[in-house]
Amino acid sequence: MDIFAERLIRARKAAGLSMTTLAAQIGVSANAIKKYEHGQTMPTSTNLLKLAKALGVRTEYFFRPVKVTLQGVEYRKRASTPQKLLDQINGDVLEQAERWTELLDLYPDSVKPVPAFELPSDLPEKVTNYDAIEAIAIQVRQAWALGLNPIPEMIDTLESKGIMIITTDVESKKKFDGLAGSIGDTPVVVISSYQPGDRQRFTLAHELGHLVLHGRLGPELDEEKACNHFAGAFLLPKPALQQQIGTHRRALEPRELFILKHEFGISMMAILVRVGQCEVITQSLQKRYYMTFSKQGWRTEEPGKAYPQEETLLFEQLIYRALGEGYIGESKAAELMGISLSSFHKERKLGVTHAAAHQ
């Protein structure tokens, strides 16, 4: 299959369109789209522009030589997540990952703008209990000089350690939290832009847990539960939790959980799990609070202002760095950012933001 046909199929699935729907949008038959996708014919230049517009891509997308393979993909999704939605997310992720890879390839070999991902060298080979996971979470924090304080920016923290973070704007209607995989030796973590910030941060910490704990867990530990435990311990370490609310409590105020949520960037529900894990409250008291959360509807939507979302700025920063160093020109920079050259000119002169350029 040629590059154009392969990319057209991916772009159509990423847009969530059938052959018939796409054909109607550009004014050709469904059979014509089928022939494009089988590499039997090529669209005219007019229809190529119409395809790009209908699919929300630039015409260069269909001929981009860089091709990446996302390996070992693991989705954090609901069991009811439809395949059509996963196709949309996968298409969006691959398109962004290809632009990432192309950008990094444009840097000279002597310049390494993104570090190689490495785990702390002294992690235990075998993990057989949750106390060990608590210790490993603190060990990773210490190795990365994070201390025990709240982590202001999870995305920035992971990117600085060589993990590629991609945010997808595909509307998932809460059926998708994130995914993890790798491109070569580079770990990739994807989060949804529709999740509140605390949910995004937990997904990032959970996927970090997979990288840290994979191959170390004994048969008595379930990896998903272990990674959830790691995520909670990484975002809100036991010593920090106990310093904030004490080592043993007979009751908790919901407002305490709300304050901790906005200080540490972890949901009230996850904090309630943590106070049980750290034995600050008894299991019976924890169950009573679970019931309270259910009655109040806080399991689906927590009270008060949502924790702010994070965003990744590294890709854009590295485009401007490459432009400043003369590795790329304005045309390539605009192409990588997925905006017109005129929009890029305005942005470069600080006349418009990147977000506004997409509106």
Side-chain angles (χ1 to χ4, degrees), residues 49-121:
L49 290 170
K50 289 180 179 179
L51 281 169
K53 185 177 181 180
L55 298 172
V57 298
R58 290 164 61 100
T59 53
E60 295 96 331
Y61 165 85
F62 296 113
F63 307 101
R64 187 183 299 145
V66 176
K67 181 180 178 182
V68 301
T69 302
L70 196 58
Q71 302 159 316
V73 175
E74 295 285 345
Y75 288 93
R76 293 197 72 214
K77 59 183 175 63
R78 310 293 185 270
S80 59
T81 307
Q83 186 60 45
K84 181 179 178 181
L85 174 59
L86 296 182
D87 287 340
Q88 285 182 262
I89 292 168
N90 191 57
D92 181 41
V93 170
L94 285 175
E95 200 274 333
Q96 291 192 57
E98 283 177 348
R99 284 190 284 131
W100 251 115
T101 303
E102 183 176 6
L103 172 61
L104 295 178
D105 286 346
L106 291 169
Y107 275 78
D109 292 339
S110 59
V111 178
K112 300 294 182 186
V114 177
F117 176 72
E118 290 183 0
L119 289 171
S121 59

Side-chain angles (χ1 to χ4, degrees), residues 111-166:
V111 178
K112 300 294 182 186
V114 177
F117 176 72
E118 290 183 0
L119 289 171
S121 59
D122 54 348
L123 292 174
E125 291 185 9
K126 280 296 175 187
V127 178
T128 58
N129 57 65
Y130 290 111
D131 286 341
I133 293 176
E134 293 276 346
I136 288 174
I138 292 176
Q139 189 177 350
V140 174
R141 271 177 160 261
Q142 290 175 338
W144 290 357
L146 298 174
L148 296 174
N149 294 323
I151 300 172
E153 297 286 341
M154 273 293 290
I155 288 180
D156 186 58
T157 297
L158 298 189
E159 285 181 332
S160 72
K161 300 303 175 184
I163 299 174
M164 184 185 293
I165 308 298
I166 292 175

Side-chain angles (χ1 to χ4, degrees), residues 316-328:
E316 188 176 343
Q317 287 172 341
L318 292 184
I319 286 176
Y320 278 100
R321 178 177 169 182
L323 182 66
E325 291 295 315
Y327 305 145
I328 61 174

Side-chain angles (χ1 to χ4, degrees), residues 8 19 124 134 151 181 188 201 203 226 239 244 274 285 306 320 345:
L8 175 58
M19 287 187 191
E134 293 276 346
I151 300 172
V188 179
R201 287 164 61 88
T203 294
Q244 294 285 335
R274 288 294 292 147
L285 183 57
Y320 278 100
H345 282 152

